[in-house]
Amino acid sequence: MKNLGILLSGRGSNFEAIARNVAAGKIPAKIAVVVSNREEAPGLARAREMGLTARFIPSKGKEREAYDRDVVAALEEAQVDLVCLAGFMRILSPYFIRAFPRRILNIHPALLPAFPGLDAQKQALEYGAKFSGCTVHIVDEGVDTGPIVCQAVVPVLDDDTAETLAARILKEEHRIYSQAICLMLEDKVRIEGRRALITPWKYGQTP
Ligand code: GAR
């Protein structure tokens, strides 16, 4: 059984969706550790309620790499195979990325490479995009730049606010993050240059 490490900074709804699919046996892995850089993150409290190993690792006053060394140590201690960033609002240092080469996933609430960075849903709305969505990608040393594993598209409606659009996107996030995790765990993702090529699977094999 492979081990997942989940990193979050806030609400943790993506973490919860992953945890539900793990509990239902739809993701063939165990959540070995949940780490937050914010003590008050609701996702951290939720992880504790679920009886998972949940660690607050404070980032205040620490340089990026020093902080990442602490997080990497916690992930290694938990023997994590795949790291999932789930609303973890920090940029990872090259040290972190080299510790888990091609073994870190991130979810971003836009169709990358459109609207990277913060407030992606607001960016899409203000730009006037007619469609947006979400992207699960492998983390490399750039910001929101690594090979794309899964994407889902949603329409942007005329009466959308950033909040209503974010809610529509979030539903898809919860669906495709688990899919991408399964593909990675089952070694179905092959990287060729920028492209993450997926070995076809039988319908119904993944959530
Ligand atoms: C999600 O919408 C995720 O895509 C986004 O933060 C939210 C976290 O929600 N991540 C980013 O914007 C990363 N650049 P959650 O805590 O409920 O999973």
Side-chain angles (χ1 to χ4, degrees):
M1 185 69 84
K2 298 240 173 109
N3 284 335
L4 299 180
I6 313 268
L7 270 52
L8 54 81
S9 302
R11 180 177 55 186
S13 73
N14 275 289
F15 150 64
E16 280 201 58
I18 293 165
R20 264 198 306 279
N21 282 329
V22 166
K26 291 182 179 172
I27 295 177
K30 176 183 157 210
I31 298 179
V33 66
V34 177
V35 172
S36 174
N37 64 320
R38 290 185 52 226
E39 194 166 22
E40 67 282 16
L44 193 61
R46 197 68 196 101
R48 291 201 173 110
E49 280 165 27
M50 290 177 187
L52 298 171
T53 304
R55 298 184 57 176
F56 162 53
I57 303 183
S59 52
K60 221 174 172 180
K62 273 192 206 136
E63 302 229 326
R64 188 178 306 284
E65 189 174 313
Y67 181 71
D68 284 2
R69 281 181 188 276
D70 291 351
V71 176
V72 166
L75 295 170
E76 283 174 348
E77 192 189 315
Q79 299 187 312
V80 163
D81 298 292
L82 181 66
V83 180
C84 303
L85 309 183
F88 187 61
M89 301 316 246
R90 289 181 58 87
I91 293 166
L92 306 191
S93 63
Y95 169 82
F96 195 143
I97 289 151
R98 284 182 210 134
F100 289 92
R102 290 182 179 171
R103 292 193 294 138
I104 309 170
L105 288 178
N106 180 43
I107 182 122
H108 182 75
L111 292 173
L112 290 172
F115 314 122
L118 291 176
D119 294 326
Q121 303 95 331
K122 187 161 167 265
Q123 289 187 56
L125 193 68
E126 286 178 356
Y127 190 88
K130 296 294 187 193
F131 290 91
S132 190
C134 48
T135 303
V136 181
H137 65 93
I138 294 170
V139 175
D140 65 10
E141 293 190 13
V143 176
D144 299 330
T145 53
I148 292 169
V149 180
C150 292
Q151 288 186 307
V153 180
V154 307
V156 180
L157 305 180
D158 286 352
D159 59 357
D160 263 336
T161 61
E163 289 69 34
T164 59
L165 177 59
R168 191 174 308 117
I169 292 172
L170 193 64
K171 245 178 125 175
E172 295 301 303
E173 293 186 37
H174 294 168
R175 190 174 62 79
I176 68 166
Y177 210 166
S178 291
Q179 273 187 359
I181 290 169
C182 285
L183 292 171
M184 295 291 290
L185 292 173
E186 291 165 359
D187 275 331
K188 288 188 170 154
V189 182
R190 189 173 87 247
I191 308 293
E192 277 184 19
R194 269 214 50 82
R195 303 179 73 198
L197 304 176
I198 311 294
T199 308
W201 71 86
K202 279 196 225 116
Y203 184 74
Q205 217 172 310
T206 59

